[in-house]
Amino acid sequence: MVTVTAVRPSAPVTPPQDDAGGLALRVLRATPVPLALVVLVALAGVVLGRVYAGDLLTRLMLGAAVGSVLVSVAARRLPSWLVAPVSVAAMTGWTVFALHLAARRAALPGGFAEVAADAARNGIPRLLTAMIPVEPTPDTVLVPLVAAWLTGLTGAEVALRAGRTLLGFLPAALLYAGALYVVGPNADPAVWPSLAFAAAVALGLVAPGGRGTTGPDPTAALPPEVRTAVRARLVAGTAAGAAVVVGLAALLGPALAAQVDERPVDPRRYVEPPRVESLDENPLIRISGWALNPDQKLLDVSTQAPAGPQTRIRLAVLSDYDGVTWRVGATYRNAGRILPAAEPGPGAVDTVRQEIIVADLTGRLLPAVPTPREVTGARVAYDPTTGTLIRPEGLSPGLRYTVTSLRERPDVDLLATADVPAGDEVARVLRVADGTPEPMRRLAAQLAEDNGAPYARATAIERFLAEHYRVVADAPSGHAYPNLHFFLFGPRNGGGQRGTSEQFAASFAVLGRLTGLPTRVVVGFSARGDGPVRAADALAWPEVFFSGVGWVPFDPLPRPDTEPRPVEEDFRPPKEEPPPSEAPEPTVEPTATPPAVAAPGSGDADRGVSRSALVAVAVLVLSLLVGAALATLVGMRRAQARARLGRGDPGDRVAGAWRQVTDALRLAGRPVGDDLAATEVASRARQALAEARAALAGGSADTPAGAVLVGAPAPGVDEVARLLNQVAFAPGTLTGAEADRAAAQAATYVAALRAARPWWRRLLWSVHPGPLRWHR
C-alpha cells in the first residue's frame, strides 16, 4: 500500500525570454478574438442606442465591453475560479460610475444610494415603458450595462480560456438579438451594425488563434486504433453538424427572408405603462370639493414668464365621455428630464419657467403650464398627445420641481376662417355618447343654425352659457347627461341653471360635439403670479381643436357682477315635455382633497410588466449566468490539469497524474479506496475501462464507434503506478522524461475512459466540480 503525501512544488522553470519579433507575433495572434468580442458587444450598444437620447448609453456599453474582455485577458494566468469574482468586482465599479454619471446628467433628485436602489428595483419595467427617445437615466442603463458586461465575461472565458471561439461568440449574438427585439419598430433597420457584426464574427474565426487550436492535439497521445476511431467520430460529427446547418438554412431561409419587410414586434405592447389612480381618472368631480374649501392651499408657485395673458396651470386633459363621466384617456410613458417637442402652431410661443412646491394636492397628476418641455426635481411619465404629466410614485407634501414650458398663444386672426378636422384622427374627441337628452340636441342645433363657421359655433355656445347661467360654489357635483340636462334646463327656483366650472365646461364640450366641434375638457388652476395656489383657483375649461391652429381654450363662465338672463327667453322646450322638477343625484365626490393611495416601492405603474416579458428577460439573464458558470468550471478544470501535469518537480507531476486517474475513475462511477496499492488501482482502472467500452457498445444498436473502442487495446496506467511507487520509496530519483511519460499515459487513459461514456455523461465530464474539491 502506497500513501502519497503532498509535496510542495518547486519553483517553476522560467522559460527564456522571446525576442521582440516573437513577442510581437504572439500579441498579433492573441489580439483578434478579444478585439472581435469587444466589437460584438459594443455593436449591441450601437443598436440599442438608436432609441436613446444622445450617445451616453452606447459609450457606457462600449466601456463594459472593453472592461469585461480586458479583465478576462489580464486574468488568464490566474486560476479560472478567480476570474468571475474579479470581473464582477470590476463590473460593480463600472456600474457605480455609470449610474452616477447618468443620474448627474439627468439631474435626478435624491441621494445616489436611493437612486441606485430604485434603478435596481425597477430597471426592467422602466426600460420597456420609457418614452422614445429614452433618456439615459440609472434605471434605463442598468440592465443593458450589466447584460453587456456579463456577455463580455462569458464570451471571453469560453473563447479565450476554453478555446471555443464560435461558442464564445454566442452570448454576444444573443445580446445583439435582444437589443434588436427591444428596439423593435421604433428605429430604422440596423443594416450597417448587422453587417459589421457578421464581419467581426468572420474575422474572429479566420484570424490566427481564432479557432481555439493553439494547444496540442488532444488525440495525439492515444493509441493509433483509438485515435483513428475518435477522429472518425469527430469527422462524422462535423459532417452531421454541417448537414444540419445547411438543412436549416434551406428550410428556414425563405421564411426568414420573407420577414425582412415585415414590421418588427414592439415589446412595449406587452407592458402596461404607468397609469393614474382612480382619484385622478376623473379629476373634474374634484372641482366641487375644492369650491367648498376655497382657502385650502394646494401649491406654491414661482413663475418666470414674459408679460401676457394670465397663466393657467394644467392638471389633466379629459377626452373621453360616455354620457356619465369625463375621463383621462392618456397613455403615459416614463420620461426623462427633457420631454419630446411637438411641432408648434402658427401662433406666438412664450417660454414659461415655474418652480412648484406641492402642498395639499394629492394623486399622481403633476400640474404644469402647457406644454412642458423640461422637468427637473421629479421623475415623471408623459403623454405627448395631451401634454400632461404624472408622477408614478404619487405627489407628497413638500415635493419641489421645476417645469419649463412652451406656452402657445393661438393666432386669433386665423380662427374666424379656421376649419375643424374630421375622420379617425379626431373621432375620439367628436364622439357623442348614446342617450343624449333631446333638449340638448335641439339647443345645439339652435346655436349652430345661424353660425356656419366652426369658430362662430364655438363662440355662440360660449356666449349662451356665459349669458344664461350662474356660477355658485355650493352646486352639487356631476356631469352625466341628467346632471347637464338639469343644469341647462332646470328651473331656477329649483336649483337649475347654476353650477361650478365643472358643469360649464362639460356642457360646452357636449354641445360642441353635437355641433361637429372636436372638444375636450381641461382641469387646472389659474395662477395669479407668484405665491400660493388655493382651492378657489381650481378651474375647468373647454378646448376646441382647429385645423392649422391647434387646441384653443374657451371661457364659458359668466363675467363677474352680471345678472344672467333666463334660459326661457331664448330657448323653450316643447310644451309636451315638462321641465324636470327634481335635481338629479349629485356625483359622490370628496369634500376636500382626498389622500393619495401610497405607492409602495415604485408604485403600481412599475409593476405593469407582463409575465411573458419578464420571463424572456429572466431567461436571457439566467442563460448568461449559467454560461458564465459553466465556462468558469471548464476553465478551472483545465487549469487544474495543467497545474498537475505541467512543469515542476517530477515527483509532483507523477502524483498529479495519479490524481487525474483516480478523479477520472470517480467521475466514471468507479471510485477506488485509499486502502488499495497502486498496482491494484491500475488493475481496476484497466477493468473499468473495458467494462465501460462494453457497456457503450451494447447499450445501443447504432454505436459503431463503441464497437471499435471495444476491439481496440485498452490503455492502462501501469507505468504511472510504477513511477508513483518510485516517488514513495525512492524520492528524488525521477527524471523529467519519466514524468512526461506518466503525464502522457494518464492523459491517454482519462481521454479513453471519457470517450467510453454516454454522450450526455461526456458533456457533464468537463463541468463536474468534484475534482476541484476532492483533494483539498
Side-chain angles (χ1 to χ4, degrees), residues 22-400:
L23 180 61
L25 181 60
R26 286 188 359 184
V27 172
L28 182 62
R29 290 175 57 86
T31 300
V33 174
L35 183 60
L37 284 171
V38 171
V39 171
L40 296 181
V41 177
L43 285 174
V46 171
V47 169
L48 189 59
R50 295 177 302 154
V51 295
Y52 277 72
D55 60 349
L56 179 59
L57 176 76
T58 303
R59 290 189 281 115
L60 291 178
M61 290 187 68
L62 174 61
V66 174
S68 59
V69 174
L70 283 184
V71 168
S72 293
V73 171
R76 288 189 68 180
R77 299 292 184 182
L78 297 178
S80 56
W81 61 269
L82 277 178
V83 177
V86 171
S87 186
V88 170
M91 179 186 72
T92 302
W94 179 252
T95 303
V96 169
F97 166 76
L99 296 185
H100 178 76
L101 179 61
R104 183 164 54 90
R105 290 200 174 190
L108 293 182
F112 176 75
E114 177 186 356
V115 171
D118 181 73
R121 187 168 53 245
N122 305 305
I124 294 177
R126 287 186 181 157
L127 174 63
L128 296 178
T129 58
M131 176 173 296
I132 295 175
V134 181
E135 183 171 7
T137 57
D139 49 5
T140 59
V141 304
L142 177 62
V143 174
L145 201 64
V146 173
W149 192 285
L150 293 179
T151 298
L153 167 64
T154 307
E157 288 301 294
V158 174
L160 302 180
R161 188 178 293 269
R164 300 293 184 264
T165 305
L166 184 59
L167 186 61
F169 289 164
L170 178 60
L174 294 177
L175 180 67
Y176 189 84
L180 289 174
Y181 179 74
V182 171
V183 172
N186 300 298
D188 295 332
V191 177
W192 292 112
S194 299
L195 293 177
F197 190 93
V201 171
L203 291 176
L205 292 176
V206 303
R211 297 186 181 87
T213 58
T214 56
D217 184 0
T219 65
L222 296 175
E225 299 84 356
V226 177
R227 182 167 62 249
T228 301
V230 172
R231 288 179 175 176
R233 294 180 62 186
L234 290 176
V235 172
T238 302
V244 170
V245 172
V246 173
L248 288 177
L251 181 64
L252 302 179
L256 294 177
Q259 298 295 320
V260 171
D261 294 331
E262 295 293 329
R263 181 178 176 86
V265 176
D266 192 350
R268 297 162 175 265
R269 61 187 292 187
Y270 304 113
V271 182
E272 184 179 358
R275 299 178 60 87
V276 295
E277 54 192 29
S278 58
L279 175 68
D280 294 327
E281 188 66 31
N282 179 22
L284 191 58
I285 63 173
R286 303 173 72 178
I287 294 291
S288 180
W290 283 327
L292 295 175
N293 298 273
D295 295 330
Q296 184 182 13
K297 182 179 174 182
L298 302 179
L299 306 167
D300 266 313
V301 178
S302 176
T303 305
Q304 299 177 9
Q310 184 182 21
T311 301
R312 283 185 176 178
I313 303 175
R314 185 166 57 188
L315 182 67
V317 172
L318 300 91
S319 303
D320 300 329
Y321 183 62
D322 58 3
V324 178
T325 183
W326 286 88
R327 295 188 180 278
V328 173
T331 300
Y332 293 98
R333 292 286 182 183
N334 288 306
R337 178 171 51 94
I338 306 298
L339 304 177
E343 188 69 26
V349 177
D350 298 331
T351 300
V352 179
R353 180 181 175 87
Q354 285 188 321
E355 183 181 65
I356 300 177
I357 304 176
V358 176
D360 290 342
L361 183 65
T362 54
R364 293 184 181 177
L365 294 168
L366 199 68
V369 172
T371 302
R373 286 294 173 261
E374 180 179 350
V375 182
T376 58
R379 186 187 304 276
V380 300
Y382 180 64
D383 174 40
T385 303
T386 61
T388 56
L389 303 166
I390 66 170
R391 184 173 186 252
E393 295 84 358
L395 306 186
S396 58
L399 172 66
R400 180 193 299 265

